[in-house]
Every structure is written in C-alpha cells, then in structure tokens.
C-alpha cells in the first residue's frame, strides 16, 4: 500500500514552486488559481520573497499547500494517473492535513487556499506576539517530553506537547516563560537539547482556542466532502472518511496535538509500505525514524522527481 503525505509549516522557502511552474503549465494553473482565490499575488511572493513575508503564517500556509497540490497535479495530469488509483491513504502534518484533504477531493483548491488564509490569520491573532513560544526537544520521546511540560507549567501558565514528530523529536508549545523554563530543564530530563523555534505564535496548544472557534465558523460555511481515500487525522492518528467527522477533527486540530509518529505507525500497521511526500522533504526522515520496519519513502519536488516516481508506480 501507498500513502501520499503533505508537509506542514516550516517547509516554505523563497523560490518554492518556481522551477515546477517554469516546466509545467499545469503547475502554473494551480498557482494562478490560488492567487485568484486569495486576491493576492502569492506565487510572486513564493518565487521572489521577501522571506520575512513568506514566513508569515497567513502566507506560508496557503503557499505550502499550493506547492504540494501543484506537484500532485503535474504528477496526475502529465503522468496520466489518479491519486485514488495510486494511494490508499493521505495524511499531512498540521496544515498539511488540508493539503491532503484537497488532494483527496474533500475541498476544492480555492476553498482550501481561503481556509488556510483564515487559519493562518486566526492563529496569528489568537495570541499577542511575544506571549507564546514553541521549542523542539531533540532526543526526547513523548513520555519524557510530557513530564518536562508538566513540570514547566506553573502558576496558570500553559506548556504542552504540540507535535509528536518522531521518536527523537517532540515540539512543545505554550506561554513563552513556561516554554523557556522547559528548555532550561532539558538536561535534567535526559533530553539532548531544547531549541526555541522561530515561530510567531504557539500553535497546537490551548492558547489557540480563539483560532479553533474561527475555524469552526469557517468550516461550517465551507464543509468538506467525503475524500476519495481516507485521511489519517492528526488528532486521532486514525483513518477517517466521514465528512462531518473530518470537519470536527479539523477544529480540534488547531489546539490539539499533531500525532505524526503515531500516524506513521498506524499507516504502517494498516499495510502502507511506501510514503510519498509531495512538495517537500521534511516528513520522509520523520517517517523513517518512526516506522518500526522497513518502509520506502519518496520526496517529490522537481520534474525529475516526478518522472522517477512515475516509473516506480
């Protein structure tokens, strides 16, 4: 079995998608459709920067999605394949879950772009800049990270596990002082290193509740359809195909933990042996570290990558 997987925030870079757009009219059509849906020249920002603007959450989220879907569309149209024939599951990391749902037909491209714009704006607005923070714990498993988070939360401050990425990397999120306190305590818990992340808000923690409410409203107006293949949901690490359940899980995802390690293992247990990352190369190392057995991974970014994948499908 095969799963198509989609990267999350942090995978953006100036120049993303440009070579693909230069090589394929179908990629250009995706970027133009996203620009039209948002009423902004996002592709110009993706191509030329500045990086500071591309990194803004409200721009990075739709940009990463657009790049992934452009890659998929070139693969499907120029390769003469369909996702439903070549993948049994889709999954995405945080915002990548929206890319996965778009790829599987739960949302059309324009709706996905607008939802991610709202999501990015709502996440940024939920917590004043400087109040929250996130940190990566390197060499930490989930149980140790949870103990550290519990010990660092004090006097009403929040710090919680936001991303369970793989057996050696967990991300915590919450009030800045509590997260900084946790980073200062890593050695006491046998964790190799704690690194504050250059993010503008504390994602995937209870401080994001205002953003969850904004997404609940947006997803009521733009309800998903049933996907053509099941999506492995971030907050449950389990396959889901029911449209209403997907909507509810997307709302929960804003404040909930990204269970990526568990998602990979769930797919592996189902029988997925080939993980294809579209539009990035961030998730495939996490997949290899999370899988309990031998799995095949492919990172598809360039036309050469697409051609190589088509030969193997």
């Amino acid at each position: 079995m095969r799963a198509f997987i989609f990267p999350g925030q942090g995978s953006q870079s100036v120049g993303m998608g440009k070579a693909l757009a230069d090589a394929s009219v179908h990629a250009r059509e995706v970027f133009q459709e996203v620009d039209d849906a948002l009423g902004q020249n996002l592709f110009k920002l993706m191509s030329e920067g500045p990086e500071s603007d591309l990194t803004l959450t409200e721009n990075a989220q739709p940009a990463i999605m657009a790049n992934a879907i452009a890659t998929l569309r070139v693969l499907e149209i120029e390769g003469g394949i369909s996702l439903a024939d070549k993948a049994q599951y889709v999954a995405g990391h945080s915002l990548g879950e929206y890319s996965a749902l778009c790829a599987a037909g739960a949302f059309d491209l324009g709706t996905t772009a607008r939802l991610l714009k709202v999501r990015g704006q709502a996440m940024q607005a939920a917590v004043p800049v400087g109040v929250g923070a996130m940190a990566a714990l390197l060499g930490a498993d989930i149980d140790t990270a949870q103990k550290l988070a519990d010990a660092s939360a004090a006097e009403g401050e929040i710090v919680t596990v936001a991303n369970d990425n793989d057996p050696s990397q967990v991300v915590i999120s919450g009030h800045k002082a509590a997260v900084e306190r946790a980073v200062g305590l890593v050695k006491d818990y046998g964790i190799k290193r704690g690194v504050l992340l250059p993010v503008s808000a504390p994602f995937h923690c209870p401080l994001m509740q205002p953003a969850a409410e904004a997404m609940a409203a947006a997803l009521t107006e733009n309800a998903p359809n049933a996907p053509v293949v099941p999506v492995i949901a971030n907050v449950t690490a389990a396959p889901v195909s029911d449209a209403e359940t997907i909507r509810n899980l997307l709302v929960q995802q804003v404040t909930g933990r990204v269970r990526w390690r568990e998602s990979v293992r769930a797919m592996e247990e189902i029988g997925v042996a080939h993980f294809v990352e579209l539009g990035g190369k961030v998730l495939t190392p996490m997949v290899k570290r999370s899988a309990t057995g031998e799995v095949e991974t492919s990172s598809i970014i360039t036309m050469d990558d697409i051609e190589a994948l088509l030969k193997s499908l």
Side-chain angles (χ1 to χ4, degrees):
M1 287 191 194
R2 184 179 296 108
F4 283 2
I5 59 177
F6 297 83
Q9 199 158 337
S11 60
Q12 73 277 356
S13 61
V14 173
M16 64 191 298
K18 188 175 186 308
L20 199 65
D22 289 344
S24 171
V25 64
H26 304 299
R28 292 196 295 274
E29 287 171 351
V30 169
F31 296 128
Q32 186 61 56
E33 191 174 338
V34 170
D35 280 0
D36 292 345
L38 298 179
Q40 74 174 107
N41 197 337
L42 183 64
F43 183 62
K44 184 174 189 292
L45 178 59
M46 293 165 62
S47 302
E48 302 173 11
E51 186 175 2
S52 58
D53 288 351
L54 180 59
T55 303
L56 290 173
T57 302
E58 67 176 84
N59 293 326
Q61 294 200 19
I64 292 164
M65 181 278 299
N67 187 51
I69 297 301
T71 308
L72 174 65
R73 189 169 291 182
V74 172
L75 178 67
E76 287 190 312
I77 296 177
E78 299 191 16
I81 66 166
S82 72
L83 178 147
D85 289 337
K86 299 299 181 181
Q88 286 69 50
Y89 297 92
V90 292
H93 190 282
S94 190
L95 82 91
E97 190 165 346
Y98 285 81
S99 306
L101 288 164
C102 180
F107 296 114
D108 63 42
L109 179 59
T111 298
T112 310
R114 287 188 292 270
L115 283 170
L116 285 174
K117 189 75 170 180
V118 170
R119 185 176 184 267
Q121 290 172 337
M123 286 177 141
Q124 187 60 67
V127 180
V129 173
V131 171
M134 299 181 76
L137 305 179
L138 307 178
D141 61 32
I142 187 66
D143 292 336
T144 305
Q146 188 63 60
K147 289 174 184 174
L148 173 60
D150 292 342
S152 303
E155 299 175 5
E157 290 181 328
I158 288 169
V159 57
T160 188
V161 172
N163 301 353
D164 179 9
N165 285 334
D166 65 46
S168 65
Q169 186 194 103
V170 177
V171 175
I172 56 173
S173 179
H175 285 107
K176 185 177 181 181
V179 172
E180 289 176 341
R181 193 157 51 242
V183 169
L185 292 172
V186 292
K187 297 296 185 185
D188 295 344
Y189 286 79
I191 296 170
K192 183 178 178 182
R193 194 153 59 103
V195 182
L196 288 169
L197 297 178
V199 296
S200 54
F203 306 130
H204 298 292
C205 82
L207 295 175
M208 287 286 109
Q209 184 57 35
E213 292 167 5
M215 290 313 297
L219 288 161
T220 297
E221 295 178 6
N222 300 277
N225 300 307
V228 295
V229 298
V231 60
I232 307 298
N234 279 189
V235 297
T236 60
V240 59
S241 296
D242 176 71
E244 182 60 20
T245 304
I246 288 169
R247 189 192 78 84
N248 293 333
L249 291 174
L250 287 175
V251 175
Q252 294 175 37
Q253 189 223 57
V254 179
T255 57
R257 181 183 303 174
V258 176
R259 299 178 182 272
W260 187 252
R261 175 186 59 87
E262 293 176 69
S263 295
V264 170
R265 291 187 176 175
M267 286 184 273
E268 190 183 16
E269 288 174 9
I270 292 167
V272 173
H274 186 195
F275 294 80
V276 179
E277 180 177 2
L278 292 163
K281 53 184 178 181
V282 176
L283 298 181
T284 45
M286 294 182 192
V287 168
K288 285 188 174 293
R289 289 191 292 266
S290 297
T292 57
E294 289 294 321
V295 295
E296 181 183 358
T297 61
S298 305
S299 296
I300 311 302
I301 300 172
T302 67
M303 288 296 293
D304 287 345
D305 295 335
I306 290 170
E307 290 168 7
L309 178 65
L310 286 168
K311 290 177 182 176
S312 71
L313 293 178

